[in-house]
C-alpha cells in the first residue's frame, strides 16, 4: 500500500500533494499539460523549480518515488516515469492550489487489452511473433467478456492478413481456441471468423475436423458457400447489402437474368443479395443442414421479411424500428411478424421453399472450379473485404507496438 503525506506549506501559501510509492524501474518521459499536472520524479534525483513556480530544490529520497501535483501557474517540463505501483489513497492539504485529475472508471475492455501485453506466453517472444501473440490474446480477453454476457457464441476474427495462407490461419485459430480454453470459455461458446478465400475455406475444413467451429464471411458467390458447406463450416455469412451496393455501382451488369438490362432505363426490383442468400440457404438446408446461414447487410424492412426463416438474420436498429412500426391486425407486431397487410406474416423461407430449388448433382468444389465460378462480383467483394479487414488490423498495430515496447 502507498503511504501518502503532505509537504509543508511554502512561504507563498502554496501546497502540494506528495505520494510516496515503492520504487519501480521505468522509462522516463514527460510532457507539460497546462494548468497543473502530475509529475513523477525518479528516485535519487535532485530537482529545481521552474521559472514560474519558484520552488526550492527538493531532494527525492533514494528509496522512494514522488508523485507531485504542481500548483497552478508553475507548469514546467520535468522528468516523469510511469509508476507501476498502485496509489490507494489520496491526500492534499490545500486542493485549491492544484488541478486534480478527474477519476473515471476504466472500461472493462481497456483492462482486458492491457492485460494481454503482460501475458506470460507472449513475453517470451520477440518481434512480430510477440505482437501477433498480444493481438490474439487481446481479442480473446475481450471475447471472454462477451461470452460471459451473451447466450450464444462469440465470433472471433482470425488475422485477415493470413487470408491467403491456410497454414497460418489454422495455427492462429488453434492459438485463439487454446487461449479461450485457458480462460475457462467452453468451445461451444466460440466461433472462429475466417474470410471465404480458398485458403480460408481449406483452413475451416481442417479446423472443423478438429472440432473447432468456424464462421465464414465475405461470401459473395454461390461457389464460396458451396465450398464452405462441403468443408463443414458451422456458419456461412453472405452480405446482401454488399451485393446490392456492387450491382448499384455496376448498372451494366445483369442483376436479374430473367429481366432486361438496367442500362435500358429499366430499374429491376430484384435484390441480388437477397436472391443469392435464399439460394445459399436452400442449398445448405437440403445438402448440408449442419451448416447454418447468417445473412447480414439487411437495409430495408422488405428485405428482412423476404428472408424471414433464415437461420440467422443481422439487421440494424433502423430496420428493426421499421418492423416495429408496421401495423398489423392486432395493432402491434413481434419481430419479423409485422407486414403491411392486415394478415400477419410468418416465415417466408420454409422447407417447401427450399425443396423448390434445383441444384446439380453434388460434386466437390475444386480450386479451379472455385476460381472460375467466383465471378467478377464475388472476386471484387472478396478482395475488397480482405483488404478492409487487413487495414483494420494494421491500424491497431501501432497501439500494440507501443504497448509491447512500453513494457520491455
Amino acid at each position: 500500500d502507498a503511504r501518502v503525506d503532505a509537504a509543508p506549506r511554502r512561504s507563498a501559501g502554496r501546497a502540494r500533494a506528495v505520494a510516496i510509492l515503492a520504487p519501480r524501474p521505468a522509462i522516463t518521459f514527460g510532457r507539460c499539460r497546462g494548468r497543473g499536472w502530475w509529475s513523477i520524479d525518479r528516485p535519487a534525483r535532485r530537482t529545481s523549480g521552474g521559472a514560474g513556480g519558484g520552488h526550492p530544490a527538493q531532494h527525492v529520497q533514494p528509496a522512494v518515488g514522488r508523485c507531485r501535483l504542481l500548483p497552478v501557474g508553475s507548469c514546467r517540463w520535468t522528468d516523469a516515469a510511469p509508476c507501476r505501483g498502485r496509489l490507494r489513497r489520496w491526500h492534499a492539504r490545500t486542493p485549491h492550489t492544484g488541478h486534480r485529475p478527474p477519476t473515471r472508471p476504466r472500461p472493462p475492455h481497456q483492462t482486458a487489452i492491457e492485460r494481454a501485453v503482460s501475458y506470460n506466453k507472449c513475453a517470451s517472444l520477440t518481434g512480430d511473433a510477440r505482437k501477433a501473440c498480444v493481438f490474439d490474446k487481446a481479442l480473446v480477453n475481450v471475447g471472454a467478456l462477451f461470452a460471459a454476457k451473451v447466450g450464444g457464441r462469440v465470433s472471433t476474427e482470425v488475422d485477415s492478413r493470413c487470408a491467403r495462407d491456410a497454414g497460418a490461419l489454422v495455427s492462429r485459430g488453434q492459438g485463439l481456441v487454446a487461449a479461450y480454453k485457458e480462460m475457462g470459455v467452453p468451445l461451444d461458446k466460440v466461433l472462429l471468423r475466417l474470410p471465404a478465400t480458398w485458403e480460408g475455406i481449406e483452413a475451416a475444413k481442417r479446423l472443423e475436423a478438429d472440432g473447432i467451429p468456424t464462421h465464414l464471411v465475405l461470401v459473395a458467390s454461390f461457389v464460396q458457400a458451396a465450398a464452405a458447406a462441403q468443408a463443414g463450416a458451422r456458419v456461412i455469412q453472405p452480405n446482401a447489402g454488399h451485393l446490392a451496393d456492387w450491382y448499384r455501382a455496376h448498372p451494366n451488369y445483369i442483376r436479374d437474368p430473367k429481366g432486361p438490362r438496367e442500362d435500358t432505363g429499366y430499374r429491376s426490383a430484384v435484390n441480388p443479395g437477397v436472391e443469392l442468400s435464399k439460394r445459399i440457404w436452400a442449398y445448405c438446408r437440403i445438402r448440408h443442414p449442419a451448416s447454418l446461414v447468417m445473412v447480414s447487410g439487411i437495409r430495408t424492412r422488405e428485405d428482412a421479411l423476404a428472408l424471414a426463416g433464415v437461420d440467422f438474420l443481422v439487421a440494424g436498429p433502423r430496420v428493426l424500428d421499421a418492423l416495429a412500426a408496421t401495423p398489423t391486425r392486432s395493432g402491434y407486431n413481434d419481430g419479423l411478424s409485422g407486414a403491411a397487410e392486415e394478415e400477419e406474416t410468418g416465415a417466408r423461407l420454409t422447407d417447401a421453399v427450399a425443396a423448390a430449388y434445383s441444384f446439380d448433382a453434388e460434386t466437390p468444389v475444386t480450386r479451379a472450379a472455385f476460381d472460375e465460378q467466383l465471378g467478377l462480383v464475388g472476386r471484387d467483394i472478396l478482395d475488397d473485404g480482405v483488404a478492409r479487414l487487413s487495414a483494420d488490423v494494421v491500424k491497431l498495430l501501432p497501439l500494440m507496438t507501443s504497448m509491447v515496447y512500453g513494457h520491455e
Side-chain angles (χ1 to χ4, degrees):
D1 291 348
R3 305 190 309 279
V4 181
D5 13 86
R9 293 181 178 271
R10 303 184 185 280
S11 58
R14 296 174 175 173
R16 59 177 178 170
V18 180
I20 302 177
L21 305 177
R24 296 290 179 91
I27 303 173
T28 61
F29 63 91
R31 183 172 184 179
C32 180
R33 292 177 181 248
R35 297 174 60 81
W37 61 294
W38 279 104
S39 68
I40 307 170
D41 285 357
R42 291 178 295 175
R45 182 178 181 87
R46 185 177 295 273
T47 61
S48 58
H55 303 310
Q58 181 70 24
H59 180 70
V60 181
Q61 300 178 18
V64 299
R66 286 181 181 269
C67 294
R68 299 186 299 168
L69 182 61
L70 301 181
V72 175
S74 65
C75 180
R76 61 186 177 82
W77 292 90
T78 186
D79 290 334
C83 283
R84 298 186 185 179
R86 181 175 299 174
L87 181 61
R88 300 183 181 274
R89 293 184 295 157
W90 169 285
H91 177 73
R93 292 183 60 179
T94 55
H96 66 277
T97 61
H99 169 72
R100 176 175 176 175
T103 57
R104 299 178 182 177
R106 294 171 61 81
H109 70 272
Q110 183 177 347
T111 302
I113 293 173
E114 290 178 352
R115 285 178 178 173
V117 180
S118 56
Y119 184 47
N120 58 352
K121 292 184 179 179
C122 297
S124 61
L125 304 175
T126 59
D128 292 340
R130 182 176 181 184
K131 285 183 275 188
C133 179
V134 170
F135 182 81
D136 288 349
K137 179 58 176 174
L139 291 180
V140 170
N141 286 353
V142 175
L145 296 177
F146 284 108
K149 294 182 179 295
V150 301
R153 297 175 182 265
V154 176
S155 185
T156 303
E157 184 170 324
V158 182
D159 193 339
S160 297
R161 295 175 300 168
C162 305
R164 309 293 179 180
D165 187 342
L169 289 172
V170 171
S171 177
R172 296 287 289 272
Q174 291 171 340
L176 289 170
V177 170
Y180 270 119
K181 183 178 180 181
E182 189 178 66
M183 296 193 68
V185 179
L187 196 58
D188 59 4
K189 295 280 291 182
V190 176
L191 282 172
L192 292 186
R193 194 170 185 261
L194 302 167
T197 59
W198 176 257
E199 294 80 5
I201 294 171
E202 285 294 305
K205 183 177 182 179
R206 292 162 59 179
L207 290 168
E208 290 284 355
D210 293 337
I212 299 174
T214 57
H215 172 195
L216 271 295
V217 298
L218 301 179
V219 176
S221 66
F222 181 78
V223 70
Q224 289 175 282
Q230 292 178 10
R234 195 69 50 92
V235 178
I236 301 171
Q237 182 179 337
N239 190 305
H242 286 175
L243 270 84
D245 292 342
W246 190 94
Y247 278 94
R248 192 176 298 111
H250 299 78
N252 293 333
Y253 209 82
I254 298 176
R255 68 168 62 197
D256 182 8
K258 300 179 181 180
R261 293 165 60 100
E262 291 197 31
D263 57 356
T264 62
Y266 172 78
R267 289 293 178 265
S268 175
V270 173
N271 185 329
V274 171
E275 297 304 317
L276 176 63
S277 300
K278 289 180 179 179
R279 189 182 178 203
I280 291 173
W281 171 83
Y283 173 80
C284 292
R285 188 80 166 184
I286 296 172
R287 300 278 177 84
H288 302 277
S291 294
L292 305 179
V293 178
M294 173 189 290
V295 184
S296 58
I298 303 301
R299 306 283 175 79
T300 65
R301 176 179 63 87
E302 291 73 21
D303 292 344
L305 292 173
L307 291 167
V310 75
D311 299 305
F312 301 103
L313 193 63
V314 182
R318 187 179 54 145
V319 175
L320 295 178
D321 291 342
L323 289 167
T326 303
T328 65
R329 182 192 238 171
S330 304
Y332 65 93
N333 67 68
D334 180 15
L336 295 179
S337 63
E341 309 88 34
E342 290 186 0
E343 296 296 330
E344 295 187 358
T345 300
R348 301 282 180 88
L349 301 183
T350 62
D351 290 340
V353 173
Y357 280 84
S358 60
F359 301 99
D360 297 334
E362 183 81 351
T363 57
V365 177
T366 63
R367 177 63 184 266
F370 182 89
D371 292 338
E372 179 183 354
Q373 300 176 30
L374 186 59
L376 179 61
V377 55
R379 186 170 289 103
D380 281 357
I381 292 178
L382 179 59
D383 292 344
D384 180 69
V386 169
R388 289 175 180 270
L389 293 176
S390 300
D392 290 341
V393 176
V394 172
K395 289 178 182 178
L396 288 174
L397 284 181
L399 172 62
M400 293 295 177
T401 301
S402 62
M403 294 177 70
V404 167
Y405 289 110
H407 281 69
E408 288 184 345

